[in-house]
Each structure stands twice: as C-alpha cells, then as structure tokens.
Amino acid sequence: MNHLAKKLMTGSKDRKPVIGLPRALLYERYRVLWRSFFQELGAEVVISPPTTLETMERGTAIAIDEMCLSSKIFFGHVDKLIGKCDYILVPRISNFGVRRFMCTKFEGLYDVCRNIYRESDQKFLTYNVDVQHGIEEDDAFVATAAELGYARREARQAYKKAKKAESESWRKQVKKQEELYKKDGLKIMIASHSYVVSDPYIGKPITDFLEGAGVTVLRADITDRKDALKWSARFSPTMRWEISREITGGLRQNRFKVDGIILLSVFPCGPDAMVNEMLIRRNDGMPILNLMLDGQSGMAGVETRLESFVDILRLKRGEL
C-alpha cells in the first residue's frame, strides 16, 4: 500500500483532502489553475499517469461507442484514479456567455462519471461555470471550495493566486511560440484541441515525427485568446464553441507565417467535423492536411500521410 492510500485510510478530521485530476480533456487547458487552486488551499493533488494504450482500451470499455476518442481516453484516466484520492475533479463548464459555448460533453461528464461509479465509494467533485445563468468561474471555484469545508474568503484568495499563476504560465507559452514563428525552415501549424495534440499517446507521436523530419511545429491553440476570438468572429460570427473559436482565430491570425496546416481531430468530434470542413472550404490557398484519429489507427498510415505532406511543402519551397 502506497503512502497516499494509507493517508486515505487514516480518517483524521485534520487531514487535507486529496484531489485527483484526470490527465485528459480539459486538464491541459486548466492544469495550472486547478493545481494552484487546490494547493493554495492546502489540499494534496494527485494526477493520473500519461496516456498509454492500456488507458485508451480501458476507457473504451467503459464509455459508450458514440463518444469521441478523447472522451474514452478521459474515462481511462478517471479509472486510474479510482480509490487513490478523496475526490476526482470533473468540472461542468457550459458556457462563458453568448455564443461562447463548450462542447456538450463538458456539461454531462460529471453526471456520467457519478453514474458509472455509483456502486463504488469514490466521490467526485465539480464546479459549475454557466455565465448565461449568472455563474462566473470565480464564483464556481469558491462554491466548490466551500463544499469541501473551506471559508469563502480563503477560497477567493486561493482562486486569485491560481488565476494569476495561470495567466503568467499562458503568457510564457504564447511568447515562446511567437519566437518559433521567427525560425527559418519549414513550419507547420497544427490546428487541434490541446487534449488531442498534447496527449502522449495519440498526439505527441505526430509532433515528434514532424520535428524529427526537421519541421518547426506551431499550434493554433497557443495564442492570445482574446485576439483569437476577434479573428474568429470575422471568419464566422455564429460559431458556437469557445475552444473551436480560439483555434480558428489562432489559425486565421497566423496562417501566413507557416508553410502548411494540419487539421488534427479525433473520431467522431462533432464540432471539429463542422469547423474543419468550413476551414477547408474557405481556405486561402494554404496547403492543408485533414487528419482524423480513431482508436483503431496505427502510426504507420499516419506517418505515410505526414511524410507525403512534408514532401509536398518542401517541393513547394523548392527544397526537393
């Protein structure tokens, strides 16, 4: 029995809660905010291991067939945390205001997790962001901390510090990417959700392959989000999904700084199916590779398509 399991069995009233964070879906987007918030409160944070084939297969067995691959991977990560923490964080994020909606899966994940593990002793923790109904992010975090027994004033201070840490971390990421645009040589932008392109099992092998081929890899999602939303609105004022709008805005803003674009998605992502088709149809002549991953995909076929795309771009640059 590891030290964490022993802590969970002590039953001490003074023991700080152990919060589990599944390393999937919104983790990449909110990891700094989540970890900083709970650590500022004095809670212990435990994170599921990086995605493996076993993680994906376990999640696929738990989830229903119609769920996207990223959701299936998420359930595999949840399963890894069962019994290893007091609470597993599964937020419910509906929207950030008018036409700023999240994918519907982020509204239902908490209830789905509770239903799947209803016969276990595992507890789940959520926070509810629904700006259209008057629930801002800061209020949602404070309410969740209050449920854990923390004072609202203490929770609000923890949130402010965590939000500052998140902003500083994001600013550094954006600045680092801006420097990459200045590099010489072949540059490819990947337009994808962070939980796809950053996943160690399904996304990282693609960026590793490209970098191994001498390509500088940029990401459309790493950009100033406020600016990205403005660029996206010019392209499509009626696009509903917040993250899709950020990716689209980042792509449109920086598309002429790269040699080609890869639209990377997982099957069957509804928002990507619509947005990526629109990006292809309203393209400005930039070479685009539309790459969709599923649980049955091997890297051999993917690498062949990537290699061909890189060769086409090099040929266009006069390097072949």
Side-chain angles (χ1 to χ4, degrees):
M1 184 182 299
N2 60 37
H3 78 285
L4 182 56
K6 290 180 180 178
K7 286 183 68 175
L8 294 179
M9 294 179 63
T10 59
S12 171
K13 293 182 179 180
D14 297 327
R15 182 177 62 82
K16 296 294 184 180
V18 180
I19 311 297
L21 303 180
R23 195 193 297 258
L25 288 183
L26 293 178
Y27 173 80
E28 183 65 25
R29 182 183 181 90
Y30 289 113
R31 58 187 174 84
V32 175
L33 179 64
W34 290 346
R35 295 175 69 174
S36 299
F37 178 70
F38 289 114
Q39 288 171 352
E40 285 291 338
L41 290 175
E44 184 172 346
V45 173
V46 58
I47 303 165
S48 59
T51 307
T52 62
L53 175 60
E54 190 272 333
T55 309
M56 185 179 72
E57 290 179 340
R58 177 57 182 158
T60 300
I62 295 171
I64 61 174
D65 292 341
E66 289 76 12
M67 286 186 170
C68 71
L69 179 60
S70 294
S71 295
K72 294 174 181 177
I73 289 174
F74 173 81
F75 286 113
H77 280 275
V78 170
D79 204 68
K80 290 283 187 181
L81 292 170
I82 297 296
K84 299 178 181 178
C85 50
D86 295 307
Y87 300 91
I88 297 176
L89 180 68
V90 185
R92 177 187 180 272
I93 306 179
S94 174
N95 65 82
F96 300 99
V98 178
R99 285 198 298 273
R100 298 184 62 188
F101 291 89
M102 295 290 276
C103 175
T104 53
K105 66 174 172 280
F106 296 121
E107 294 188 63
L109 276 177
Y110 174 70
D111 293 320
V112 173
C113 286
R114 290 187 62 191
N115 183 61
I116 290 174
Y117 294 101
R118 61 187 179 277
E119 296 181 0
S120 74
D121 295 327
Q122 182 62 58
K123 296 179 181 179
F124 290 87
L125 183 67
T126 192
Y127 64 86
N128 179 35
V129 178
D130 190 344
V131 175
Q132 285 199 326
H133 287 86
I135 308 175
E136 299 279 353
E137 184 182 77
D138 57 341
D139 294 326
F141 270 79
V142 170
T144 296
E147 289 183 13
L148 293 174
Y150 294 99
R152 288 184 173 273
R153 182 178 179 182
E154 180 184 10
R156 200 164 291 281
Q157 290 176 342
Y159 173 79
K160 288 181 179 179
K161 292 180 180 179
K163 198 65 178 176
K164 181 178 179 181
E166 179 190 50
S167 297
E168 291 177 352
S169 174
W170 187 247
R171 191 160 47 247
K172 289 178 181 178
Q173 287 189 63
V174 173
K175 183 177 180 180
K176 182 178 180 181
Q177 171 142 296
E178 287 297 329
E179 293 300 315
L180 292 178
Y181 283 116
K182 301 175 184 178
K183 291 186 65 175
D184 295 328
L186 186 64
K187 292 185 281 291
I188 294 177
M189 177 183 292
I190 297 181
S192 176
H193 293 277
S194 60
Y195 50 78
V196 175
V197 67
S198 294
D199 187 90
Y201 186 73
I202 63 172
K204 195 170 186 301
I206 291 174
T207 58
D208 287 347
F209 178 86
L210 292 172
E211 289 172 352
V215 175
T216 297
V217 178
L218 290 307
R219 284 174 45 179
D221 63 310
I222 300 181
T223 186
D224 183 288
R225 288 170 176 162
K226 289 184 179 180
D227 287 344
L229 292 178
K230 294 176 183 177
W231 277 84
S232 177
R234 298 171 194 163
F235 182 71
S236 173
T238 59
M239 190 181 298
R240 288 174 54 87
W241 305 287
E242 180 80 351
I243 297 179
S244 296
R245 292 176 70 204
E246 292 174 359
I247 295 170
T248 299
L251 186 154
R252 298 293 295 178
Q253 183 179 13
N254 299 297
R255 64 193 184 282
F256 295 125
K257 300 177 183 177
V258 298
D259 298 282
I261 296 167
I262 295 177
L263 304 178
L264 179 64
S265 60
V266 297
F267 182 83
C269 177
D272 280 359
M274 297 182 67
V275 174
N276 288 357
E277 180 67 20
M278 180 172 60
L279 289 170
I280 292 170
R281 292 190 181 195
R282 297 179 60 185
N283 182 29
D284 298 313
M286 180 68 65
I288 292 181
L289 172 63
N290 191 15
L291 195 60
M292 181 174 289
L293 308 175
D294 60 48
Q296 306 302 318
S297 297
M299 273 303 292
V302 173
E303 288 180 356
T304 299
R305 296 185 65 188
L306 291 173
E307 187 174 18
S308 298
F309 188 59
V310 170
D311 285 346
I312 290 170
L313 297 181
R314 292 199 188 284
L315 183 63
K316 186 179 178 183
R317 287 170 57 93
E319 296 177 356
L320 286 180

